[in-house]
Amino acid sequence: MTDAIKIDVWSDIACPWCYIGKRNLEKGLEQASEDDDAPAVEVEFHSFELSPDTPVDFEGGEAEYLSRHKGISPEQATEMLDRVSGVAADAGLAYRFDLLKHTNTVKAHELLHFAKDHGRQNELAERLMSAYFTEGRHLGRDDELVLLAADVGLDADAAREALQSGRYLPAVRADQAQATAYGINGVPFFVIDGKYGVSGAQPAEAFAQIVRQVWDERREPAEV
């Protein structure tokens, strides 16, 4: 039995392209899963903060944040958001930037590490991104994060303790240090099988192609 292909994903729950990339990856893996010799794949998410200096309670909407952060006009920011909303819609995601509450994401990353220890990381990543981009939930607050953890079957009291203790912060920092070592300066970024780097929200077909390629390489007999 060939070991599963490992896909390490560096992302931020506040990154609109990361949610699109996640969905496209899932669709690509679904395509590959229909093969006669379907690849076995394991996905793990890693922490990357796009804007670690963002306050928990940012005053203003997403267009205003983008305008300040990138030094562009509000009109340009709105155009950028409209464009990404269109790409998200193509991926089956209904972004609501009018509801979005921009916030610091370090606590969300800590919670994702807690979820990984309890075998629910992928489910929580989906729940957090959906809550942030489509429901207007405030992901910088412990109470909101605990509710979302409970939504995917995690123990609410344990989730709250994990957040309040800060015991997963070193794991967040370790992910960020690994990203720096890999030279990752933007997300989403996918490391396939520890040797192929894929940057950006690639189409589903691209993800299907690369996992098939890696799986074929795994099945080739070693040269003598």
Side-chain angles (χ1 to χ4, degrees), residues 10-224:
W10 270 264
S11 68
D12 192 346
I13 60 97
C15 162
W17 294 104
C18 292
Y19 198 10
I20 295 168
K22 178 179 183 296
R23 188 60 84 248
N24 287 349
L25 172 64
E26 291 164 350
K27 290 179 179 178
L29 296 181
E30 184 177 354
Q31 290 175 18
S33 73
E34 297 172 358
D35 296 354
D36 290 337
D37 182 21
V41 180
E42 174 190 348
V43 179
E44 181 177 340
F45 290 91
H46 298 275
S47 303
F48 191 101
E49 290 179 272
L50 283 173
S51 305
D53 57 344
T54 300
V56 171
D57 295 301
F58 176 79
E59 297 295 333
E62 186 66 0
E64 185 176 350
Y65 168 79
L66 201 58
S67 177
R68 292 187 201 173
H69 186 66
K70 292 189 173 291
I72 58 178
S73 71
E75 292 76 20
Q76 288 173 309
T78 299
E79 288 175 5
M80 288 180 66
L81 294 176
D82 288 344
R83 183 170 69 90
V84 75
S85 292
V87 178
D90 290 341
L93 302 171
Y95 281 5
R96 290 294 305 272
F97 286 115
D98 57 320
L99 300 178
L100 190 148
K101 295 178 175 61
H102 200 84
T103 188
N104 189 287
T105 60
V106 69
K107 286 283 190 177
H109 285 297
E110 291 179 54
L111 192 64
L112 282 167
H113 280 279
F114 166 77
K116 182 175 75 170
D117 277 356
H118 292 80
R120 307 293 291 177
Q121 191 195 45
N122 190 64
E123 293 86 350
L124 185 65
E126 176 65 28
R127 186 69 193 96
L128 293 180
M129 288 181 173
S130 175
Y132 188 78
F133 284 108
T134 73
E135 301 168 33
R137 304 280 287 271
H138 195 315
L139 269 59
R141 296 174 179 166
D142 286 5
D143 287 348
E144 196 80 289
L145 289 169
V146 167
L147 288 173
L148 295 169
D151 282 351
V152 299
L154 292 164
D155 182 85
D157 291 337
R160 186 179 299 279
E161 185 279 328
L163 289 171
Q164 292 179 346
S165 69
R167 59 192 170 91
Y168 285 98
L169 184 59
V172 174
R173 300 302 182 222
D175 274 356
Q176 293 169 329
Q178 184 64 67
T180 300
Y182 278 152
I184 299 170
N185 52 26
V187 288
F189 194 93
F190 306 82
V191 177
I192 317 291
D193 219 28
K195 56 184 178 180
Y196 298 109
V198 177
S199 179
Q202 300 296 322
E205 294 75 16
F207 288 117
Q209 180 181 359
I210 192 167
V211 295
R212 285 169 173 149
Q213 175 188 328
V214 172
W215 194 244
D216 287 344
E217 290 172 2
R218 293 277 200 89
R219 310 293 277 186
E220 290 175 358
E223 294 183 6
V224 177

